Amino acid sequence: MLIAFVLLNFLQFQIISNVETQCGCNVNRDKTDRNDKKKSFYNTISTNQCLIRDRNENAVAEMVFIPGDTYQFGTDDIIIDSDREGPKRLLLLKSFYIDKFEVSNRDFSVFTDSTNYKTEAEKFGDSFVFTLFLNSTFKEKLKDYRVMQAPWWYKVSGTNWRNPFGLNSNITDIMDHPVIHVSWNDAKAYCAWRSARLPTEMEWEAACRGGHNNYTYPWGDKLFPNRKHMANIWQGTFPNHNSAKDGYIGTNPVHLFPQNDFGLYNIAGNVWEWTEDFWSNDNPNEKVKKGGSYLCHRSYCYRYRCSARSHNTDDSSAGNLGFRCAKSA
């Protein structure tokens, strides 16, 4: 225990360099502990549910217009080689729209109420919850249901977007927080209902930089300009202590923290966001996600940079994974 504590504090001062980190950013359903012998298959998502559209305009999130132009994609300042962050390219994009806010619990509830849609976590019967949101007694019972590469993630029965920390939790007081425990397939279904789609990775990254080239973060190159917190990311010693100096241990409301120059909120931090693109030709079921989350820190998951990227299988869900929609102009 002492050795682990010293190691965690040592890592807090290290900068990631050319290795695949073990933060559990890409926790997938097929990477759970080998003692978990549970097998299950997802039911096919009904395409009819995806096409039913609530006519109430309040169900449609506000979008911002991103003009067609040449935008930076990737970087030459490579931090994590295995994430394929580079090289830097200047690519021409057509005009598009993207949600100003991450999709909230309130938004998603309108969708499910209108369509009776069931997420994959609901069908599967569980999802992944971070260690800080579980008490010690519960964690002891679930110790064989952790992710091997990231034991701070627990597979918890009854967890889904409505019950984000297990059956005894709810979203009554966090309706303006981003919806979590949604898979790529769930996000696609919601966006289709909105007559929209997920952003491509290039669109997402162009939107992230707010019209600038060579920006590390959505707001510039300094993580804390004028000592100001610009996004909800981890402060403290991962994974056991989050000082919450930015005001939040978990997710924050989708309208908080400063906008970037395109007017987007929380494009970095808060929750990871699904994109349309697959990770590699070898496995098209692995989908790219961008933006990092409230669990990211420079020492182990320096992925709240615009060029940073990670991935999950399209049926995976977790307590730090959400999305926003886009639409062609």
Side-chain angles (χ1 to χ4, degrees):
M1 182 66 73
L2 178 59
I3 293 174
F5 178 81
V6 172
L7 179 58
L8 281 171
N9 278 277
F10 173 77
L11 287 174
Q12 196 71 15
F13 296 97
Q14 305 305 302
I15 297 177
I16 298 174
S17 60
N18 302 330
V19 293
E20 175 67 58
T21 58
Q22 298 298 319
C23 62
C25 291
N26 56 342
V27 53
N28 295 323
R29 287 203 177 274
D30 58 351
K31 292 184 178 181
T32 48
D33 189 275
R34 61 177 176 272
N35 292 323
D36 182 3
K37 301 299 184 182
K38 180 178 179 180
K39 302 289 184 181
S40 180
F41 295 93
Y42 293 112
N43 297 325
T44 302
I45 296 175
S46 169
T47 54
N48 290 332
Q49 288 180 340
C50 301
L51 298 177
I52 299 171
R53 171 81 186 284
D54 190 321
R55 297 302 178 186
N56 182 353
E57 288 303 315
N58 290 328
V60 180
E62 187 175 355
M63 304 184 97
V64 298
F65 177 73
I66 310 297
D69 206 340
T70 299
Y71 293 98
Q72 177 185 343
F73 181 60
T75 181
D76 289 331
D77 183 19
I78 307 297
I79 303 297
I80 308 172
D81 274 343
S82 58
D83 282 359
R84 307 169 193 170
E85 299 178 355
K88 172 183 173 181
R89 291 93 82 197
L90 296 177
L91 302 174
L92 181 64
L93 284 181
K94 294 181 179 180
S95 301
F96 64 98
Y97 295 89
I98 191 168
D99 285 349
K100 179 181 290 188
F101 309 103
E102 292 163 328
V103 174
S104 69
N105 285 317
R106 182 174 289 105
D107 297 329
F108 204 76
S109 67
V110 174
F111 164 58
T112 57
D113 289 347
S114 300
T115 63
N116 294 317
Y117 181 85
K118 298 297 181 185
T119 61
E120 295 197 282
E122 289 173 288
K123 293 175 183 178
F124 194 83
D126 54 45
S127 189
F128 295 98
V129 179
F130 186 68
T131 181
L132 288 188
F133 303 115
L134 302 171
N135 64 46
S136 298
T137 301
F138 198 36
K139 285 192 286 188
E140 178 61 25
K141 293 179 180 178
L142 294 174
K143 64 182 180 181
D144 292 334
Y145 293 85
R146 292 177 292 174
V147 178
M148 288 185 66
Q149 304 93 331
W152 40 85
W153 282 110
Y154 291 74
K155 182 189 274 190
V156 180
S157 252
T159 298
N160 54 61
W161 77 276
R162 297 180 189 273
N163 311 105
F165 310 116
L167 282 174
N168 294 326
S169 64
N170 61 65
I171 57 172
T172 302
D173 297 327
I174 53 171
M175 293 298 286
D176 56 349
H177 286 230
V179 65
I180 52 177
H181 299 295
V182 284
S183 70
W184 183 86
N185 295 314
D186 299 330
K188 288 274 287 184
Y190 173 89
C191 290
W193 171 77
R194 283 255 317 270
S195 299
R197 57 176 172 76
L198 287 172
T200 66
E201 183 179 4
M202 286 190 289
E203 287 174 335
W204 190 100
E205 193 166 327
C208 182
R209 289 193 177 88
H212 303 278
N213 286 338
N214 301 315
Y215 265 27
T216 302
Y217 312 110
W219 53 86
D221 290 324
K222 293 184 177 180
L223 183 56
F224 301 111
N226 299 316
R227 298 183 179 181
K228 183 177 183 180
H229 289 279
M230 303 296 287
N232 178 8
I233 56 178
W234 187 279
Q235 300 95 48
T237 305
F238 185 87
N240 298 314
H241 174 65
N242 186 344
S243 66
K245 289 182 178 179
D246 58 17
Y248 296 92
I249 292 178
T251 59
N252 63 265
V254 298
H255 61 279
L256 295 187
F257 290 95
Q259 299 163 271
N260 74 355
D261 284 348
F262 276 153
L264 302 178
Y265 288 87
N266 295 287
I267 194 75
N270 209 19
V271 293
W272 283 99
E273 298 182 11
W274 288 113
T275 73
E276 178 68 30
D277 296 349
F278 57 81
W279 182 254
S280 70
N281 291 326
D282 296 333
N283 190 352
N285 292 329
E286 291 274 347
K287 305 300 183 180
V288 176
K289 61 182 183 178
K290 299 280 283 185
S293 79
Y294 63 88
L295 295 178
C296 285
H297 187 278
R298 185 183 180 96
S299 66
Y300 61 88
C301 182
Y302 189 23
R303 291 186 173 100
Y304 42 83
R305 297 166 292 111
C306 291
S307 60
R309 55 206 300 271
S310 190
H311 55 100
N312 284 89
T313 57
D314 55 12
D315 59 3
S316 294
S317 60
N320 66 338
L321 185 51
F323 69 103
R324 72 180 75 211
C325 300
K327 183 182 291 190
S328 300

